Amino acid sequence: MVVDVANFATHTLNGIQYGFILFLIASGLTIILGILDVLNLAHGELYAVGAYVAFSVYGYATGLVAAPEGVVGLAVFLVVALLAAAVAAAVLIPLGVLLEALFLRPLYGRDEVYQLVLTFGLLLILKDVNKFIWGPLPVRAGDVYSGINAIPAAEFVGLNFPTFKLVIIAVGALVVVGLFYFFNRTKMGRIIRATAIDREMATAIGVSTDRTFTLVFAMGAFFAGFAGAMALPQSQANLEMGANPLVLSFVVIVIGGLGSLRGAFVGAMLVGVLSRWAVWQYPPAEIAAPFAIMALILLVKPNGLFGTWGETA
Amino acid sequence: MTDHPSTADDPRPLEAWGRSSYLPSTTTHDGERYVRVTRGMVLTPLRVVGWLALLVLFVAVPDIASLSSSIQLRVLHQGVLFGLAAVGLNVLLRHTKLVSFGHAAFFGTGAYTAGVLATHFDVTSMILLLAAATLIGTLMAGVIGFLSLRHTGLYFSLLTLAFGQLLYAIAQGQSYVGGSDGISVRPGDANQATLLGADLAPDVYAVVVYYLTVLVVVVALFVMWRIVNSPFGNALDAIGQDRTRAQFIGIPVRRYVLAAFVLSGVYGALAGGMYGLVQQHVRPESTLYFLRSGEILFMAILGGFGTLIGPLVGGIVLVFLQDVGQDFTNYFDALTGLVLVLLVFGFPRGIVGSLQSGSPLRDRAGALVDDPSVAGDWVQDGADALVAALSRAKRNLVVLVFGVR
């Protein structure tokens, strides 16, 4: 069988952009897990909230730019759309801070079962908040998708591939680089890692764990929301959208090693690309593929691909 | 049934309670009269009356349901079945301290086994369907347990979740089991299973299956009580407290934990098989989806995972709440969520656990009865805590956005 090269490239690129979306979600989950020791079941709903808020923000922002025409028009449209996504995600920061201060803080150090119950309760509540604000029907932002796809980027190499997905890949790569820079090179990132390695010691040398926890949770919420905002235009926002990414990001962080950022990146790429290949070759495998990958990897490496986070980012 | 006097009421060891007869009898201790139900189960008369009242209530549900349209037999029945699965899960949660997040796998396996046998193999006997469901579910628990018990803590939870989702994906994808439409459990001419060869009219069928469930639940609770109060149950407790120590004192940890996992799977599969018989149709969404696993776990916690019947109560309450909530408001999910949040902060021991003596809720109720004015203090304390949390959130947000000034 001859594998069609163009087809192969398309599916691989699809997998990579899917992997970046997964990474954005899973990175938040994994740093929250690594530092706060809380498995945040409501993380998928934060992703959904991001998508819904982005729907409203996109609607407002793209209204500012008339139908994009020409190189300049398209460029302006692209910038406005990306800014809108960032603004939508920024709404998640105060939400995350509030959730952390009101609900999670009293639970640190208590039995992990209660954290699961609480975050599951938050999941249900956030889901209905979405329903209350945006209604039960799915919403979409097709304008942004078609608008950005009007930029003929992939055709330079003779591929028929949506430009929007290329934008996701570019932005995702930027975020990855930014996150690793943040955790390896900046003072704040090192403080966070110090807190992850030894909470008591960090407190003893004057790190406010209180503030670090809030920061980490807000960061996690931000990236979940950003993933939602980036994923919205090519699909739709609906009330059930939080569940699947949540479960998949569990898979991703387990493959990579709990609490490991590098692991989350590798895991997300593996799951993204392999599951798209699976869909391409054998469509019914779509749901099962990530779990099969995870089971296989855990049988070979019981602690995931990378160890616990902290010593290296 | 939840606790026997050697731990709760009486410091004396169990042996002192006499073991002459296997029949129920009464004994006297410190001038108090106790009812000795069976070996090791000695209850105060009040408790016996309470248990009997509960049992009567349980048995009378079909009659109660016929009185009022807001109580439906089907809903309560479903609650009881999920509660039974939660009782099984509680073996892991309460004794070995393992949080299984994939219990729907066994529930679904049981339900699907009944469905496949009824649809593709024309098995009509209820007993056979249940037995097969339990058997296949047990095998599944053995396999999943063997693979996931290599890990503890969160890895274990996530692995069980993954295996559950894997089964869900398979059930969704295979047309043999009906894909996402599911499979029906309607063997025989009357489109339903038979009990001991007897065909039943549809309305009789529901009631008969309910009574079969009551029987199964009572037996299952008794068996569970026996197990958790056996040396095996104590060994599980030891494992839950400290694995390494348990290993050192000679408990075969891996074998015991696997046994506990399989035991919990048996309960889940049995409940799932009954669910198939009750609903007569099995869908992947309602039996295998990971939210179901979560719900089974939360039923155990809602009812009180430190107690034997807590998970059963939790199952009934949660299913009932969801059903009533659906009629009452569009936002029933948030209602459930709110209950869970209140549970965590207000009564972490769950419903049954909070009713037991010595629980924070009982203490508070006692204080309230003594001096009603403390309620004002509590409201004040709660408000203060809320204000403090909000101001800290605000300060942290300001620091995050603008840096330290």
Side-chain angles (χ1 to χ4, degrees):
Chain A
M1 191 183 89
V2 180
V3 177
D4 183 356
V5 176
N7 237 341
F8 177 78
T10 308
H11 286 288
T12 309
L13 279 176
N14 252 330
I16 292 175
Q17 72 87 22
Y18 185 49
F20 272 118
I21 296 278
L22 282 180
F23 172 74
L24 284 176
I25 307 167
S27 65
L29 197 68
T30 202
I31 56 175
I32 291 174
L33 183 66
I35 295 157
L36 275 61
D37 248 345
V38 171
L39 185 65
N40 181 20
L41 293 181
H43 207 70
E45 292 315 305
L46 295 175
Y47 165 81
V49 171
Y52 273 107
V53 174
F55 164 73
S56 298
V57 179
Y58 280 141
Y60 179 75
T62 50
L64 297 178
V65 190
E69 274 172 34
V71 180
V72 178
L74 285 173
V76 169
F77 187 80
L78 178 66
V79 170
V80 167
L82 286 179
L83 277 181
V87 168
V91 172
L92 271 289
I93 293 180
L95 180 66
V97 169
L98 206 67
L99 289 180
E100 198 267 349
L102 284 186
F103 295 108
L104 285 165
R105 187 161 296 274
L107 287 186
Y108 297 141
R110 264 175 77 181
D111 205 335
E112 67 181 28
V113 162
Y114 293 116
Q115 299 167 351
L116 292 180
V117 178
L118 181 91
T119 50
F120 188 78
L122 290 181
L123 180 160
L124 293 175
I125 293 174
L126 282 176
K127 192 168 150 187
D128 272 1
V129 167
N130 284 343
K131 194 175 174 182
F132 180 73
I133 300 178
W134 285 279
L137 294 177
V139 297
R140 43 172 73 248
D143 289 356
V144 177
Y145 191 56
S146 55
I148 290 181
N149 282 343
I151 307 171
E155 274 151 37
F156 290 126
V157 289
L159 263 184
N160 188 13
F161 193 73
T163 307
F164 187 80
K165 295 188 176 179
L166 292 178
V167 171
I168 289 184
I169 293 177
V171 171
L174 262 180
V175 170
V176 171
V177 172
L179 269 179
F180 280 99
Y181 178 81
F182 175 75
F183 282 117
N184 279 327
R185 293 277 178 268
T186 64
K187 188 178 172 195
M188 198 65 223
R190 288 177 176 177
I191 287 176
I192 292 176
R193 271 170 54 207
T195 319
I197 295 168
D198 192 334
R199 203 182 284 182
E200 270 179 35
M201 191 63 196
T203 318
I205 58 173
V207 172
S208 163
T209 45
D210 192 80
R211 206 161 290 152
T212 313
F213 285 1
T214 310
L215 172 68
V216 164
F217 198 84
M219 263 178 77
F222 175 82
F223 284 116
F226 192 59
M230 292 306 288
L232 171 72
Q234 53 177 317
S235 57
Q236 56 180 15
N238 59 46
L239 294 171
E240 266 68 47
M241 73 184 295
N244 215 14
L246 176 72
V247 178
L248 281 182
S249 46
F250 286 164
V251 171
V252 163
I253 64 176
V254 167
I255 287 178
L258 290 188
S260 161
L261 198 62
R262 191 165 44 160
F265 178 64
V266 176
M269 285 302 144
L270 267 178
V271 169
V273 173
L274 288 180
S275 70
R276 287 298 129 147
W277 283 349
V279 175
W280 171 38
Q281 292 297 340
Y282 179 60
E286 186 186 359
I287 316 178
F291 300 102
I293 300 168
M294 166 175 157
L296 273 181
I297 287 185
L298 280 189
L299 286 176
V300 183
K301 292 202 79 161
N303 285 321
L305 292 176
F306 297 92
T308 312
W309 182 52
E311 276 78 6
T312 55
Chain B
M1 227 198 254
T2 47
D3 41 30
H4 52 73
S6 72
T7 56
D9 308 328
D10 186 335
R12 284 195 305 165
L14 266 176
E15 286 70 30
W17 288 86
R19 49 168 70 167
S20 54
S21 161
Y22 281 91
L23 291 173
S25 61
T26 57
T27 56
T28 324
H29 169 61
D30 278 354
E32 304 260 348
R33 197 173 258 281
Y34 291 94
V35 179
R36 192 175 149 281
V37 183
T38 176
R39 220 176 91 193
M41 188 190 280
V42 185
L43 305 167
T44 60
L46 197 67
R47 288 215 162 170
V48 173
V49 171
W51 281 110
L52 285 178
L54 261 183
L55 190 63
V56 169
L57 190 72
F58 214 28
V59 169
V61 160
D63 296 314
I64 300 170
S66 64
L67 294 179
S68 158
S69 61
S70 65
I71 303 169
Q72 288 185 354
L73 178 62
R74 191 181 50 77
V75 175
L76 279 172
H77 198 165
Q78 210 175 323
V80 170
L81 290 176
F82 277 112
L84 183 62
V87 169
L89 172 111
N90 205 21
V91 181
L92 292 174
L93 190 62
R94 180 186 181 187
H95 299 284
T96 61
K97 300 278 182 294
L98 287 169
V99 184
S100 163
F101 218 94
H103 229 62
F106 313 125
F107 195 84
T109 305
Y112 264 95
T113 307
V116 167
L117 284 182
T119 305
H120 295 297
F121 296 94
D122 289 329
V123 178
T124 53
S125 160
M126 241 182 242
I127 310 290
L128 259 183
L129 287 174
L130 279 183
T134 314
L135 181 73
I136 303 290
T138 310
L139 291 178
M140 186 63 81
V143 173
I144 294 182
F146 180 77
L147 291 174
S148 50
L149 281 170
R150 293 153 36 114
H151 302 273
T152 54
L154 272 179
Y155 267 109
F156 171 76
S157 308
L158 292 176
L159 262 178
T160 48
L161 175 97
F163 283 117
Q165 277 297 97
L166 195 58
L167 286 186
Y168 170 71
I170 292 170
Q172 280 262 356
Q174 295 298 322
S175 54
Y176 184 69
V177 292
S180 56
D181 290 336
I183 193 168
S184 65
V185 192
R186 290 173 177 276
D189 301 328
N191 272 337
Q192 56 208 2
T194 58
L195 183 65
L196 304 176
D199 267 330
L200 305 161
D203 48 336
V204 180
Y205 179 82
V207 175
V208 166
V209 177
Y210 176 76
Y211 283 124
L212 188 63
T213 309
V214 171
L215 186 71
V216 166
V217 166
V218 170
V219 172
L221 281 178
F222 184 74
V223 169
M224 185 60 82
W225 173 82
R226 270 254 97 108
I227 291 172
V228 300
N229 287 306
S230 69
F232 173 70
N234 294 339
L236 291 184
D237 275 331
I239 293 169
Q241 281 168 16
D242 192 328
R243 258 170 189 260
T244 320
R245 194 170 61 200
Q247 189 97 53
F248 269 44
I249 58 173
I251 297 171
V253 171
R254 289 192 66 167
R255 235 179 330 132
Y256 272 35
V257 172
L258 182 63
F261 192 87
V262 171
L263 178 72
S264 75
V266 169
Y267 276 67
L270 184 60
M274 300 257 12
Y275 177 88
L277 288 179
V278 177
Q279 300 288 317
Q280 303 190 316
H281 194 91
V282 182
R283 268 176 238 283
E285 283 288 334
S286 54
T287 54
L288 280 168
Y289 197 44
F290 84 101
L291 287 180
R292 281 288 165 197
S293 299
E295 273 175 21
I296 294 175
L297 177 65
F298 301 134
M299 284 163 186
I301 298 161
L302 177 66
F305 67 97
T307 62
L308 183 66
I309 64 153
L312 189 67
V313 174
I316 297 169
V317 170
L318 195 63
V319 172
F320 191 68
L321 195 73
Q322 283 171 341
D323 185 70
V324 171
Q326 236 148 348
D327 298 338
F328 171 68
T329 161
N330 269 331
Y331 302 104
F332 56 92
D333 273 343
L335 191 71
T336 314
L338 218 55
V339 168
L340 292 179
V341 171
L342 282 179
L343 169 75
V344 170
F345 290 120
F347 47 114
R349 289 196 194 184
I351 297 169
V352 177
S354 297
L355 295 176
Q356 285 176 340
S357 53
S359 79
L361 202 70
R362 282 267 290 242
D363 290 350
R364 291 214 150 188
L368 194 65
V369 172
D370 291 343
D371 177 15
S373 67
V374 289
D377 295 345
W378 293 340
V379 172
Q380 188 65 44
D381 289 350
D384 287 348
L386 188 67
V387 169
L390 281 176
S391 71
R392 189 174 49 219
K394 183 174 147 249
R395 197 187 61 230
N396 281 340
L397 185 63
V398 169
V399 171
L400 287 185
V401 177
F402 301 108
V404 184
R405 293 273 168 94

